[in-house]
Amino acid sequence: MSPPVGGWAGGETPGETRRPSEVIPARRLLRRLVAVVAEPTTPQQRLDKIVKMIAADLVAEVCSVYVQRAGDVLELFATEGLAREAVHRTRLRVGEGLVGTIAATGDVINTSDAQRHPNFAYRPETREEIYNSFLGVPIVRSGRVVGVLTIQNTAHRLYDEDEIDAMQIIASVLAEMFASGGLLDRELYTDLGTLAPERRRLEALRLVEGVAIGRAWLHEPRIEISRLLADDPAAEQARLDRALEELKRSLDRLLARADLASGEHREVLEAYRMFADDTGWIRRIREAIDTGLSAEAAVRRVQEQTRLRLGHAADPVLKERLLDLDDLANRLLLHLAGRSTLHDPAAVPDDCILIARSLSAAELVEYDRNKLKGIILEEGSKTAHVTIVARALDIPLVGRVEGAMTLFEPGDPVALDAENGVVFLRPSEDVLQAFARTVQARNERRRQLAALKDLPAVTRDGIEIWLGINAAFLADLPALLETGAAGIGLFRTELGFMTRPSWPSVEEQAQIYKRILDLAGDRRVVFRTLDIGSDKHLPYWRMPAEGNPALGWRAIRIGLDRPALLRAQLRALLAAAEGRPLALMFPMVAEVAELRAARALLLKEMTRHAALGGKPPASVEVGVMFEVPALYWQLDALLNEVDFVSVGTNDLLQFLFACDRGNPILAERYDVLAPAALAFLRDLVERCRAAGVPLTVCGEMASRPLEAMALVGIGVRRLSVSPSELYSVKAMVRSLDVGRLARFLDRVLGASERSLRQPLLAWAHDHAVVLPPGQNLPT
């Protein structure tokens, strides 16, 4: 038994040497096989002809093709040599017999005495008892075994390495033919593995709540191969050489980026770059080209072997290496196709469930928000910027779905339950109907909650809570009126910069800010100045090399070091707010001196605006985003110099726990409802109240009803939330007795537990606090 791929990531066992192929499938055989698909006959007749041709060319007495059907069953679809009446009658379960073992493991089986093999299963209708030698190889498509190709002879013999290679090459060509539909009748066999692959239930990390039904769209989709064979292997080898050089140069350019000059992430990328020179991987591609395959088909053949092995890999290190090789194959196919990108956000269907290994906030906003029904990531964390943007756009999002880019095919039906962290791939009709009912119930609940629009956000014991929304685009402004929000507590100006091809001029910025103020009317809008850096990059501006960008050159640090950028934005804000109130805040302030320096720039711009005859704003309020814990020990000085404080809980708690919020490994290690976090925030709230400075929480914590309940319980009276969550938060507020909750928190904040989530859920249930489904009972 020989594995389809060798012992290491490059596809060979260390020390293995392979002699040049002597008996390879003749190029004319491959050409004849491909030509058969175009013949004006039925798929069954084509398949019958193909097994006869393979048997003749490989000097085999028997050649058979088994196809995987629904229910993990392999059915004999065509044979030359076995009894004809066995076709579509003989079936083996995956794992049963030699054929079933190949399907279960993806291994090659080569034996001189099939009937003595421990896995042999006899089927009398085939009349195969006279055949002794057996060679079977898997037919692999998208990393899944979709069929098995076998040959048999009466003589006791082991097939040699070249015959095994020949069968594997033929199997790879058959896999592409299966996918095209030329060999399998779609109308007769709608349950075939290649046409309707197995259904899967996948566990996921909940990131943005919601339920969605749609079709899979790969952020980096599979490249389809239209040309399987080539007349000139030398020309294909030359094409491969050019594509490999282009691949290496593109990776070198990636490593040359300033923001990747140091740090652990660079070491990972350097290891990834080394695989582009892997001799075993490249040699296997070259050998496949020598058999008559095109360069693209050869890369795909080796990629399918890698994917098959990936599905059986238990060692996490080996699994990572195989994932790297799979990704490199995609990049190599991209260069062979002469394309510059794998994904086209403008081409997504109307019911798109986006599948990606990871996704940046900038990449997400490139997509049409009206077409995105949900997002599934292989990585992801609750406080990553892409999560924040997805929540702002009301797009259900889950993460930590292992191997998603391999499991999903473009167009696969998907049911996404981001409420419970479950994804159904290729769901049954019953599941789809259940999801449709859930979506309908969710929409109905939203309609019921919408009745709260004109009701005040006042608790049972008479405490009024200011409820605003977070926004980033002009398209978010209708939600301000639709939800009855009190205002915009956070307008993220940087997202508008991230979606542009070049830096916006002062006039362009002013036009946008003026439009925002026009649409908001009398409602308060708080603009946050440009908050770029960390994982928020502008496509037209290069960031410096940093080992830890989350703690690096970002936000106000960039604004103060490049004052022309900050002054241009302040100039635009002043022009937009002529005669109207202007509220702005500076992000990532770590010391009072930074606030003073930023205010000095604002004063210069106000003086300039007046000197040029501009009408001043009716009032100017200046605040800070409280995100850096060091600022807590400067509060007395700070509160004398600001008009308001906005707490950015995402970064604040990341720094408080020294926990990278973008690291999926740490996604659930620390809870925002930890006693330490709530106690810290309560002290901050009390000191701001004592100084008479309004405090608003505008981080993700405020957008989750349970967490928002805790914030109100520790004294927060102003919340700025995602528009999609405003009604849920308001419903919670109107059902809450703050006095009782505050007394409960007084008792438990000194606890040593890692989280108060379960006690708070239990308290909410006992006191009839309205929380979204799935949060109203402890789990």
Side-chain angles (χ1 to χ4, degrees), residues 236-277:
E236 295 303 300
Q237 297 285 6
R239 290 183 63 230
L240 176 65
D241 288 337
R242 289 193 296 271
L244 282 168
E245 286 306 312
E246 290 170 4
L247 170 65
K248 294 171 188 177
R249 283 197 297 269
S250 70
L251 294 175
D252 289 339
R253 285 194 297 271
L254 179 65
L255 284 167
R257 271 176 40 185
D259 57 323
L260 298 176
S262 62
E264 185 179 359
H265 54 295
R266 180 177 177 86
E267 295 173 11
V268 173
L269 286 171
E270 285 176 340
Y272 178 86
R273 167 63 177 83
M274 289 174 62
F275 279 106
D277 290 312

Side-chain angles (χ1 to χ4, degrees), residues 448-682:
Q448 293 172 359
L449 289 175
L452 299 174
K453 173 185 173 182
D454 298 321
L455 298 178
V458 178
T459 66
R460 284 181 178 177
D461 48 348
I463 296 175
E464 185 174 354
I465 306 298
W466 186 92
L467 276 184
I469 63 169
N470 300 331
F473 303 100
L474 280 170
D476 295 326
L477 269 294
L480 183 62
L481 303 177
E482 292 167 3
T483 61
I488 297 177
L490 167 64
F491 192 92
R492 300 181 172 102
T493 61
E494 65 276 359
L495 291 184
F497 283 71
M498 291 165 64
T499 56
R500 297 178 62 93
S502 61
W503 200 282
S505 67
V506 172
E507 292 73 21
E508 289 171 326
Q509 292 182 58
Q511 206 170 35
I512 294 170
Y513 303 146
K514 183 178 184 302
R515 182 67 177 144
I516 291 164
L517 291 170
D518 289 344
L519 291 171
D522 295 334
R523 290 176 169 86
R524 186 170 188 261
V525 179
V526 179
F527 292 95
R528 180 174 69 187
T529 60
L530 196 59
D531 184 11
I532 58 171
S534 186
D535 62 347
K536 290 187 285 187
H537 295 273
L538 305 181
Y540 43 84
W541 204 49
R542 175 172 289 189
M543 295 295 293
E546 293 185 292
N548 191 344
L551 297 176
W553 198 52
R554 54 177 293 202
I556 194 61
R557 297 167 183 175
I558 294 176
L560 295 179
D561 290 352
R562 300 288 184 272
L565 303 180
L566 180 55
R567 290 188 66 172
Q569 187 175 32
L570 295 173
R571 190 175 304 166
L573 286 166
L574 290 168
E578 287 186 338
R580 295 184 283 197
L582 173 63
L584 60 90
M585 58 183 171
F586 301 108
M588 195 74 179
V589 173
E591 55 186 13
V592 175
E594 290 177 335
L595 170 65
R596 290 171 180 159
R599 290 197 73 144
L601 294 179
L602 174 61
L603 181 59
K604 286 182 180 180
E605 285 304 317
M606 292 175 69
T607 302
R608 179 185 181 278
H609 185 74
L612 292 174
K615 186 178 181 181
S619 62
V620 178
E621 291 182 273
V622 177
V624 295
M625 285 285 288
F626 193 101
E627 301 167 286
V628 181
L631 206 56
Y632 179 81
W633 288 274
Q634 305 167 64
L635 265 180
D636 291 340
L638 176 73
L639 296 177
N640 286 326
E641 301 199 26
V642 294
D643 299 301
F644 63 91
V645 169
S646 287
V647 180
T649 53
N650 308 323
D651 272 328
L652 176 61
L653 297 177
Q654 167 180 236
F655 300 146
L656 193 66
F657 287 114
C659 176
D660 179 3
R661 71 185 194 176
N663 187 335
I665 298 173
L666 302 177
E668 296 189 302
R669 180 175 289 270
Y670 302 103
D671 194 344
V672 296
L673 295 179
L678 291 176
F680 181 86
L681 289 169
R682 184 173 68 173

Side-chain angles (χ1 to χ4, degrees), residues 206-226:
R206 294 174 295 170
L207 297 177
V208 178
E209 294 78 7
V211 179
I213 304 170
R215 293 195 171 272
W217 177 268
L218 303 190
H219 180 58
E220 294 188 347
R222 180 188 184 93
I223 295 177
E224 296 301 329
I225 296 172
S226 58

Side-chain angles (χ1 to χ4, degrees), residues 154-188:
T154 54
H156 289 273
R157 54 164 298 207
L158 281 175
Y159 296 91
D160 65 27
E161 184 178 292
D162 297 314
E163 290 169 307
I164 296 172
D165 281 347
M167 286 282 283
Q168 289 181 318
I169 291 288
I170 293 168
S172 68
V173 173
L174 287 178
E176 297 298 328
M177 292 177 175
F178 279 12
S180 71
L183 297 182
L184 303 174
D185 193 322
R186 295 174 183 267
E187 294 183 2
L188 285 178

